[in-house]
Structure formats: structure tokens, C-alpha cells
Amino acid sequence: MAQDELRRAPTFGRGNSMSLLVNTSFSRKKPSVLANALSGVISAVLAEVVLFPLDTVKLLTQTAEAGDSSGFLSVLVRLVRERGIQGLYGGLGTSVVKESVHSFNYWMWHGMLFRYLTKADDT
């Protein structure tokens, strides 16, 4: 490695004379727009699977009859007693498909616009 490819990194702390050598000739290739979109889809689907039961209970709580004053926990317990754990995930399949399409579309457009409309390579 040539001497001009190395530079000293700043040191931190009191009296610390140890320094790191950083190779500045190494440049990382940016991930493709498709890779960013797929990672966004995976993240969105994971979030949907984790949060779907909470959303189901919230929806049942909000759409209860006018005289029903059951809270979140009582609706959760009633739902699990009546439908089992599977009742918390009813409709998850269509929700995952919807979220996958939405997330892929969002992150694909975001990546393309961000990559092709930004002039500086520092972001």
C-alpha cells in the first residue's frame, strides 16, 4: 500500500497517542436501487407481521358497539378465547401482499429519484 493512500485518523481522548490508519483508496459500491427496494419490502413485511395483531385488536376496539366500553386488553382476551391465536392473524395474507406492493413501489421510486436527481455523491 502506497504511503499517499494512507492518512492518519484523528485521535480521541486524553493523551491517547494511538492512531488508526485508514485506507482512503477503498471505495464502496452503492447498492442497486432494486436491492434498496427489496430491503424496504422485507422490513415492511416484517413490521406488518409483528404489528398486525395489535392493529386487529385496535380495530375491534374502535368498531365496538356504542354501549360496549371494553378496553384493549379485554378485547384481546375475548378475541383469543373466541378465535384462538389464529384470530389475531386473520387477514394477514392480503395485508402482507398489499404492504409488499406498496413498499416496493415506494422504495423503488424513492431510490430512482434519489439516485438520479442528486448531483452530489456525499449522501
Side-chain angles (χ1 to χ4, degrees):
M1 204 175 302
Q3 187 66 18
D4 56 79
E5 292 179 4
L6 299 175
R7 68 176 166 87
R8 288 195 172 284
T11 58
F12 300 99
R14 293 181 298 163
N16 186 358
S17 62
M18 187 185 309
S19 65
L20 300 172
L21 295 177
V22 179
N23 183 355
T24 58
S25 67
F26 178 73
S27 64
R28 291 178 48 174
K29 183 181 174 187
K30 286 184 180 180
S32 70
V33 173
L34 184 61
N36 284 336
L38 289 177
S39 66
V41 168
I42 291 169
S43 301
V45 167
L46 181 62
E48 188 70 27
V49 169
V50 169
L51 296 174
F52 192 82
L54 296 174
D55 199 33
T56 300
V57 175
K58 178 194 69 143
L59 181 66
L60 290 173
T61 303
Q62 289 175 340
T63 58
E65 294 178 9
D68 189 10
S69 62
S70 299
F72 187 87
L73 290 177
S74 60
V75 171
L76 173 66
V77 169
R78 185 181 60 200
L79 178 65
V80 171
R81 280 189 188 151
E82 291 174 2
R83 300 181 196 168
I85 296 295
Q86 299 86 0
L88 292 172
Y89 290 96
L92 178 65
T94 55
S95 184
V96 165
V97 169
K98 177 217 40 122
E99 191 59 39
S100 299
V101 171
H102 174 264
S103 181
F104 182 81
N105 198 12
Y106 175 83
W107 288 111
M108 193 69 167
W109 279 105
H110 176 272
M112 286 189 308
L113 289 173
F114 188 78
R115 180 153 309 188
Y116 298 116
L117 294 181
T118 55
K119 295 192 189 298
D121 196 26
D122 61 349
T123 55

